[in-house]
Amino acid sequence: MPPSKPLHLFLILTVTINLCSAELPPFREAPAFRNGRECPKTTWSSLDKQIHNPSIIHIAMTLDTAYLRGSIAGVYSILHHATCPENIVFHFITTHSHGAKLTRAITTTFPYLNFHVYYFNTNLVKGKISSSIRRALDQPLNYARIYLADLLPAGVRRIIYFDSDLIVVDDVINLWSINLRGHVLGAPEYCHANFTNYFTSKFWSNPVFTASLKGRSRTPCYFNTGVMVIDLWKWREGKYTEKLEHWMRIQKRYRIYELGSLPPFLLVFGGDVEGMEHRWNQHGLGGDNLEGLCRALHPGPVSLLHWSGKGKPWLRIDSKKPCPMDSLWAPYDLFRYPSLFSDS
């Protein structure tokens, strides 16, 4: 009887091959969304290097296999509530490993969508990422938002960045048209949150590090980087990618925070953010980063629902353990469930 070790190796190899070659989940085709009569007729080309057209709304999102279902629900919700959906251009950031399959999934689900795909070079963050409290936060693509100014064409002056675990329930033009008042970045701020909790004692005990927060126009407040409006021209002028990378290198050496790509944004932009209404990021619906327990909405109006945290609505729905707020995400889920009956 042959030894068992080769059998174990065979099983491991088989499982690995199946996982790597697994097809993406199937999705229903979304309806075609058309502009209202009041929408300006306009087009945009990535070849327009220096032309800024304010009638075109640019939205950036990442694409990966784990969050594809969330990304598709997010895109569907944006189009569904937009007055001028044909004036929206999506910019999807992905990696080479699954880029072709992910692009095909978007094309077949949204045949009429105006979108472009950009490949993120994960070597840019290799050696700069430190482990955090949740594995999903350590993925290189989670840091792609830092490099939007380098990835997107120069003609894209302003971009809305959206995470892949949210839905929009308002016309996105209302977010696009906010006045940044000279700031590089706009986002809802939460000044009641304890800013000090986002950094370790190694940060607060080092006067060189804490000096970076002094001299700002106002006290830094927490903001969630899953919803941002960014002036890419000002970003490039101010070399903000390099400033964020600076803190990533310090983190790698001194361990000054625990939470993925968020803290560098707080250190670079805290106190210099154009605050937006909280309705544009009802975040935390995924619970905390450890257990992902159910949470209710914050008080006030809602334009965007964000399942930041460990719990994702599609996973909870499939496990038959949804949270109450997950029912608000479900209508935008285009996942095609297998039929209970076979044609044969």
Side-chain angles (χ1 to χ4, degrees), residues 5-65:
K5 187 175 180 180
L7 176 61
H8 290 310
L9 291 174
F10 174 75
L11 290 175
I12 293 172
L13 181 61
T14 302
V15 171
T16 303
I17 291 173
N18 286 340
L19 287 174
C20 292
S21 61
E23 289 299 316
L24 296 176
F27 296 94
R28 305 190 308 275
E29 182 178 315
F33 294 94
R34 301 303 184 191
N35 282 355
R37 291 183 178 180
E38 67 274 30
C39 299
K41 292 185 178 181
T42 184
T43 58
W44 181 83
S45 168
S46 59
L47 299 177
D48 297 334
K49 296 295 185 182
Q50 298 295 334
I51 300 174
H52 172 63
N53 184 343
S55 298
I56 299 293
I57 300 172
H58 295 278
I59 297 174
M61 300 176 72
T62 58
L63 281 182
D64 67 2
T65 54

Side-chain angles (χ1 to χ4, degrees), residues 42 54-55 67 85 104 129 147 161 176 180 186 199 220 252 289 297 309 340-341 344:
T42 184
S55 298
Y67 283 77
R104 188 162 57 249
I129 298 177
Y147 298 91
Y161 176 82
W176 174 255
L180 290 179
F199 304 95
K252 193 70 176 176
N289 282 299
L297 291 174
L340 295 175
F341 304 97
S344 60

